[in-house]
Amino acid sequence: MNIAFAGNPNVGKTALINAIAGSKLKVGNWPGVTVEKKEAEFKYKGEKIQLVDLPGTYSLSPYTVEERITRDFIINEDPDCVINVIDSTNLERNLYLTLLLMEMEKPIVIALNIFDEFEKSGYKIDLDKFKKYLGIDVIPTVATKNKGLNELMDKAIEVAKSKKHYKEMKYSLLFDRFIENEINKLIEKLKKEKLPNKYPLRWLAIKLIEKDEYIIQILKKETEKDISSLAKEHIMVIEERFNDDTETILTEARYGIINGILKDTLKKPKNYNIPFTEKVDKIVTNKYLGLPIFLALMYIVFKLTFDGSGPFIDWVDGFINGYIGKYVSLALTGAPNWLNSLVINGIIGGVGLVLTFVPLMLFIYFFLALLEESGYMSRAAFVLDKIMHSIGLNGKSFIPMILGFGCNVPAIYATRALENEKDRKLTAVLVPFMSCGARLPIYALFTGVFFVKYQAYVVLLMYILGIAVAIVVGLLLKNTKPFETAKSPLLLELPPYRVPSAKMLFGSMWIRTKAFLRKAGSIILMAMIILWAAINLPYGSTPNNSYLAKAAKVVAPVFTPAGFNKWQAVASVLPGIIAKESVVGALGQTLGVEKKSEKKKTSFIQDTRKQIMGLIKATIDSFRNMFISFTPGIFKIESISNSTFSQKIRTVFTPLSAFSYMVFMLLFIPCIVTLAAIKQEFGWGLMFFEIGLLTIIPYIVSVIVYQGGRLLGFH
Amino acid sequence: MKLSDLREKQRAKVIKIDGSLKSLKKRLADMGFVKNQEIEIKRIAPLGDPIEISVKGYSLSLRKKEAEKIEVEKI
Ligand SMILES: Nc1nc2c(ncn2[C@@H]2O[C@H](COP(=O)(O)OP(=O)(O)OP(=O)(O)O)[C@@H](O)[C@H]2O)c(=O)[nH]1
């Protein structure tokens, strides 16, 4: 049995679905678009249920992706029952979508959610009368307290089984007699057209009268007929009579119907307002406090996320590469060397890379859910919209951008908070220009060698340059066809503040992290094996006669205008795609600086104990980092003090070419995990676009920097 | 007058929405900006744009550019 959940945003749909399907939920995207799709399959009282969460929408017009998805799903997938979740504290607006759903003539049950607040604030509703007016079942629910869930499911299954399609609209739900008359005339005409019978005729007639371009186009494709002309005379008659366009006339008529129903069934409390939300908003969106509060909150989220996950990341890294790697390597004794290296460096290295992101993902998804579910995210957008809109973004883009300074990967996933697909894409494209923590070791190396006195300033300059490039690219892209964000209006609801339930926060953190492992994991592993081959083949070669080195020697002259045309510099770019900090190690290798690695003999038990102790220590460190220290650790520059290394660096770079190289590294492809995140969220197209962009732009900018520097007399 | 001309805490009634952008007109109507609907400007964002409007019992934020398209009458 196929049950679809539909409703406005912020009505507790997610909470309700989590409560019903729990751990069975899976997140992904709707095909071809970047709108999040949640699904689950489970058994309820012996009945196999396929649950689908439709995107939160206010209407079913053809103008937004979410609304088109919802419509197409209901028409094409023909769910056995639609559960319409509505916020009982805001019936007027919520019922608008209900009426639109009912026009689609599917079995419907209403979940009258947030019923606790409804009762608490003094509303009263005559449920029996309300049901009678609508002609459908209505179940009060409190998603956060698991109230009404079983009744809701029972009713949905009952309704689905009875196949109660609402073909006969209740009298109370009909439009004005004049309009209904025209609709009926059009229905008669449509009956003769032999249209696919998935379209309810009354719905189709209404859509045609509303001049719905989208359905007209689809019908043209499906039937090769243009039936829009059939509606022309009816549109004219109605528009003449009511002196407005038909879309507006019908919208107003629906709100009229809703008012009629509510007048007779709902008692509003005298002077109802939301005092708590009002009070908080007075401070949080205050003229002077709004921005500082936002920045303070961002600082806290940033710090907790990166400092809290840091120790766990290090532990996972050691656990996989040190512990698991060591014993797999032992198990492979006797196997050829190249196989050992492929397994350890390629496969286990890849798995390790994916897993090191898990702590970070868990932390970031937790805080994102907290910001979103509490209602603060919309306020952040409200406060910052003006700044972000000027470069073609939306107020909510600010949060992914800030997270990008910690790590680009969670920042890409954080774009989910944006409603508009084009805003999301443009934000994701710009995120990699934010200089992430992994780029610091590169800055540390070069500033440590060439700019010791001005180390902090040069590093700061890198951050600023990244932002500047993002602004320029944003301005260039905002009017191009695939992004076009400049045109999309802001229609942002500021929902009342609500305390999110812990279950929901942890639920959302867990299912999204699982999706990351499943989807991004495979791509990363594949890329790791390819990169392993590029760096290590032919097997047994030294860093300066591998295929990579040979290719780098050929390509190097291309970088002459940017100032770094030594093959070592060029060859080190590729390992940087695995993770930016690898560039430092790669430079060490190509320059022939040996890393001293001492191997003590330890037993399995000793190693295992060390890992367990390590995990405990990581947990303690995580807490200490989050709550005791003040500066985010991710910005600490750890200088690399190795005198032979810095001498070797001086043979390959001058101060200016080192600076140019840093700029190149700042702007170049951040890492395969970021690319995999972009692929998972936006598809191959945007990923390749990003690869192109993040190759061309760093080249151009570093050439400008180098040539400009030379003109100014630097070298 | 236009919705964008109202100041904080002022109340008004929707007269009509400029139809030059069909999709915007429809979306605003869907969200409750219908004829004679009472609205109130709750606040203006710290940087002067967007504005928060109370309509049909909930809060919606719009940019001034879009608010210009809504004709209102002060009450
Ligand atoms: N008091 C109360 N709060 C609820 C109830 N259901 C959900 N909430 C809270 O309302 C907020 C919004 O809930 P969500 O589940 O995110 O709403 P949604 O409809 O999924 O919203 P989108 O994700 O924006 O589509 C959360 O903070 C929930 O904890 C309820 O029945 N009563």
Side-chain angles (χ1 to χ4, degrees):
Chain A
M1 183 169 295
N2 207 328
I3 298 183
F5 280 70
N8 286 183
N10 303 310
V11 296
K13 201 150 61 71
T14 310
L16 199 65
I17 289 172
N18 277 3
I20 291 171
S23 59
K24 299 280 176 8
L25 271 183
K26 284 210 180 96
V27 285
N29 279 345
W30 289 89
V33 289
T34 63
V35 179
E36 190 171 87
K37 179 184 192 184
K38 296 199 199 76
E39 293 176 280
E41 258 189 54
F42 59 94
K43 277 223 158 122
Y44 178 82
K45 298 196 178 163
E47 194 75 47
K48 220 169 124 196
I49 309 273
Q50 270 154 313
L51 179 157
V52 180
D53 180 23
L54 298 172
T57 63
Y58 297 103
S59 166
L60 296 176
S61 74
Y63 299 115
T64 71
V65 201
E66 289 80 3
E67 296 178 17
R68 284 198 298 265
I69 291 174
T70 305
R71 249 164 87 154
D72 288 350
F73 184 89
I74 294 177
I75 292 288
N76 296 324
E77 308 297 320
D78 191 24
D80 297 299
C81 179
V82 177
I83 293 183
N84 175 209
V85 186
I86 67 183
D87 174 355
S88 50
T89 61
N90 190 346
L91 286 175
E92 199 177 350
R93 195 201 63 212
N94 276 264
L95 285 174
Y96 183 75
L97 180 68
T98 308
L99 290 192
L100 292 170
L101 287 170
M102 290 176 75
E103 283 169 12
M104 303 186 85
E105 297 174 10
K106 290 281 177 294
I108 288 196
V109 174
I110 288 182
L112 201 54
N113 198 34
I114 318 193
F115 204 67
D116 52 339
E117 276 184 24
F118 177 85
E119 287 186 314
K120 213 174 90 192
S121 47
Y123 278 108
K124 292 237 157 47
I125 190 165
D126 185 338
L127 258 184
D128 289 330
K129 225 183 206 174
F130 186 63
K131 281 187 215 169
K132 223 172 260 160
Y133 269 120
L134 291 173
I136 56 184
D137 279 299
V138 179
I139 312 286
T141 57
V142 183
T144 42
K145 291 184 194 115
N146 291 343
K147 277 195 191 141
L149 303 185
N150 286 338
E151 282 122 290
L152 181 66
M153 288 306 288
D154 291 344
K155 194 49 97 185
I157 290 170
E158 182 193 319
V159 167
K161 280 189 174 152
S162 70
K163 301 232 179 288
K164 220 161 128 193
H165 288 239
Y166 294 89
K167 286 241 155 62
E168 288 299 314
M169 276 298 236
K170 280 265 168 190
Y171 178 71
S172 53
L173 299 179
L174 291 182
F175 293 116
D176 168 290
R177 192 176 305 151
F178 187 85
I179 299 175
E180 283 295 336
N181 206 5
E182 297 303 317
I183 293 176
N184 285 331
K185 279 191 220 159
L186 182 53
I187 292 177
E188 288 309 314
K189 286 188 200 164
L190 291 174
K191 273 184 187 158
K192 296 188 197 116
E193 291 292 325
K194 300 221 167 46
L195 298 163
N197 59 7
K198 62 182 177 182
Y199 299 111
L201 286 181
R202 182 166 185 274
W203 179 76
L204 205 53
I206 294 173
K207 289 299 127 184
L208 291 179
I209 286 177
E210 283 182 317
K211 297 173 252 178
D212 187 306
E213 273 306 318
Y214 181 65
I215 193 74
I216 292 170
Q217 292 308 327
I218 289 186
L219 275 172
K220 232 188 232 166
K221 256 191 234 144
E222 285 182 352
T223 64
E224 286 162 14
K225 276 185 273 193
D226 185 359
I227 54 164
S228 62
S229 55
L230 295 180
K232 274 215 179 86
E233 70 167 287
H234 307 288
I235 294 173
M236 247 169 51
V237 173
I238 296 175
E239 290 192 340
E240 209 157 279
R241 164 98 181 217
F242 294 93
N243 195 20
D244 207 334
D245 55 71
T246 44
E247 299 104 295
T248 313
I249 296 167
L250 291 189
T251 304
E252 285 178 354
R254 290 189 193 104
Y255 271 115
I257 293 170
I258 294 167
N259 280 336
I261 297 175
L262 292 181
K263 208 175 253 166
D264 203 23
T265 56
L266 182 72
K267 252 215 214 99
K268 285 187 194 171
K270 280 206 184 89
N271 59 34
Y272 171 70
N273 57 1
I274 326 151
F276 178 70
T277 296
E278 265 310 302
K279 267 183 222 153
V280 176
D281 269 346
K282 235 180 213 152
I283 302 167
V284 161
T285 60
N286 177 284
K287 201 163 178 176
Y288 304 104
L289 295 176
L291 278 168
I293 288 178
F294 168 79
L295 291 175
L297 281 174
M298 275 305 105
Y299 171 79
I300 293 170
V301 168
F302 190 93
K303 182 173 162 43
L304 294 185
T305 304
F306 291 105
D307 289 0
S309 61
F312 291 111
I313 293 175
D314 292 342
W315 179 79
V316 172
D317 187 27
F319 180 75
I320 302 289
N321 291 316
Y323 180 71
I324 304 274
K326 176 177 167 184
Y327 287 97
V328 171
S329 171
L330 273 181
L332 285 176
T333 18
N337 255 341
W338 66 266
L339 181 66
N340 197 319
S341 166
L342 172 63
V343 171
I344 301 299
N345 298 323
I347 297 173
I348 298 201
V351 172
L353 185 62
V354 177
L355 291 181
T356 48
F357 277 89
V358 168
L360 188 54
M361 290 297 151
L362 291 172
F363 271 77
I364 198 68
Y365 280 142
F366 179 85
F367 288 112
L368 281 177
L370 187 64
L371 288 174
E372 255 182 88
E373 302 305 332
S374 62
Y376 181 74
M377 192 72 98
S378 313
R379 272 69 183 188
F382 180 69
V383 168
L384 288 156
D385 188 70
K386 179 131 190 220
I387 302 177
M388 300 312 279
H389 187 53
S390 61
I391 55 165
L393 296 177
N394 170 302
K396 286 191 186 175
S397 316
F398 208 81
I399 290 165
M401 291 296 179
I402 286 191
L403 292 174
F405 288 120
C407 176
N408 290 178
V409 177
I412 298 288
Y413 291 107
T415 59
R416 283 197 184 178
L418 294 153
E419 286 87 11
N420 184 302
E421 173 163 33
K422 289 181 173 169
D423 286 339
R424 259 199 94 186
K425 277 192 186 159
L426 186 55
T427 309
V429 164
L430 299 183
V431 156
F433 294 121
M434 304 299 115
S435 181
C436 70
R439 283 167 236 193
L440 269 179
I442 304 176
Y443 307 154
L445 173 68
F446 287 104
T447 53
V449 174
F450 294 106
F451 314 104
V452 185
K453 263 201 207 146
Y454 308 103
Q455 194 164 29
Y457 298 106
V458 174
V459 173
L460 184 66
L461 194 60
M462 288 295 139
Y463 282 90
I464 294 172
L465 190 68
I467 297 171
V469 171
I471 291 174
V472 173
V473 175
L475 288 174
L476 290 176
L477 290 180
K478 77 171 183 183
N479 290 317
T480 58
K481 194 90 187 114
F483 300 101
E484 245 183 2
T485 48
K487 281 193 199 140
S488 62
L490 177 84
L491 287 168
L492 174 76
E493 187 186 353
L494 302 174
Y497 289 104
R498 294 199 169 101
V499 181
S501 69
K503 200 170 121 200
M504 204 169 141
L505 295 181
F506 287 107
S508 120
M509 152 180 144
W510 185 233
I511 54 172
R512 287 171 167 184
T513 304
K514 269 201 305 206
F516 163 76
L517 282 175
R518 216 177 46 231
K519 300 253 171 63
S522 48
I523 303 171
I524 294 168
L525 204 60
M526 209 169 68
M528 278 299 280
I529 293 170
I530 295 170
L531 285 171
W532 175 86
I535 295 165
N536 289 286
L537 293 183
Y539 197 73
S541 57
T542 57
N544 82 58
N545 64 11
S546 68
Y547 290 148
L548 175 62
K550 284 182 186 147
K553 284 171 192 169
V554 176
V555 177
V558 173
F559 291 94
T560 306
F564 47 93
N565 58 359
K566 299 286 191 304
W567 73 268
Q568 295 94 329
V570 177
S572 301
V573 167
L574 200 65
I577 299 179
I578 296 175
K580 270 280 161 76
E581 63 266 34
S582 314
V583 170
V584 175
L587 273 171
Q589 279 185 351
T590 51
L591 291 171
V593 186
E594 277 302 313
K595 242 200 316 190
K596 266 178 263 149
S597 62
E598 33 186 303
K599 274 196 183 143
K600 260 193 263 160
K601 276 228 158 123
T602 44
S603 74
F604 180 71
I605 296 185
Q606 277 172 322
D607 281 348
T608 308
R609 185 180 311 137
K610 202 175 130 209
Q611 290 303 324
I612 295 170
M613 294 309 289
L615 181 57
I616 296 169
K617 187 170 174 302
T619 313
I620 297 168
D621 283 350
S622 162
F623 271 91
R624 215 187 22 229
N625 284 354
M626 283 195 284
F627 302 113
I628 297 175
S629 81
F630 278 105
T631 44
I634 199 152
F635 288 132
K636 262 185 221 125
I637 309 174
E638 283 169 36
S639 281
I640 289 152
S641 51
N642 177 330
S643 55
T644 47
F645 197 5
S646 57
Q647 271 165 15
K648 289 265 170 83
I649 293 270
R650 281 175 198 276
T651 64
V652 179
F653 293 96
T654 65
L656 183 59
S657 75
F659 188 78
S660 162
Y661 192 64
M662 280 164 63
V663 169
F664 188 84
M665 282 305 173
L666 158 72
L667 304 173
F668 187 59
I669 300 168
C671 63
I672 47 170
V673 188
T674 306
L675 291 180
I678 293 176
K679 154 69 184 67
Q680 183 192 339
E681 296 294 289
F682 305 95
W684 293 110
L686 200 74
M687 191 192 88
F688 285 117
F689 174 77
E690 189 77 329
I691 292 178
L693 191 74
L694 296 180
T695 310
I696 295 165
I697 289 190
Y699 183 77
I700 295 174
V701 179
S702 57
V703 168
I704 293 174
V705 164
Y706 186 71
Q707 297 300 337
R710 287 217 318 191
L711 282 179
L712 294 174
F714 295 102
H715 61 274
Chain B
M1 72 193 302
K2 292 177 195 149
L3 177 58
S4 51
D5 297 332
L6 292 177
R7 271 174 283 127
E8 260 176 59
K9 302 291 167 227
Q10 280 186 333
R11 301 173 59 77
K13 224 161 70 177
V14 175
I15 305 293
K16 73 176 215 275
I17 304 171
D18 174 359
S20 57
L21 243 176
K22 218 176 108 181
S23 66
L24 181 68
K25 182 175 180 187
K26 170 80 172 138
R27 287 183 67 193
L28 285 171
D30 283 340
M31 299 201 65
F33 290 87
V34 289
K35 211 180 288 169
N36 290 328
Q37 175 66 42
E38 274 185 32
I39 54 165
E40 184 191 331
I41 305 287
K42 282 180 94 173
R43 59 176 60 77
I44 296 171
L47 301 169
D49 200 17
I51 51 184
E52 181 184 345
I53 302 150
S54 165
V55 54
K56 290 211 181 285
Y58 75 102
S59 288
L60 184 72
S61 139
L62 287 183
R63 293 199 185 108
K64 288 213 160 129
K65 204 172 108 213
E66 276 93 49
E68 272 174 17
K69 300 272 192 304
I70 304 174
E71 192 161 324
V72 296
E73 186 186 278
K74 240 191 325 196
I75 47 174

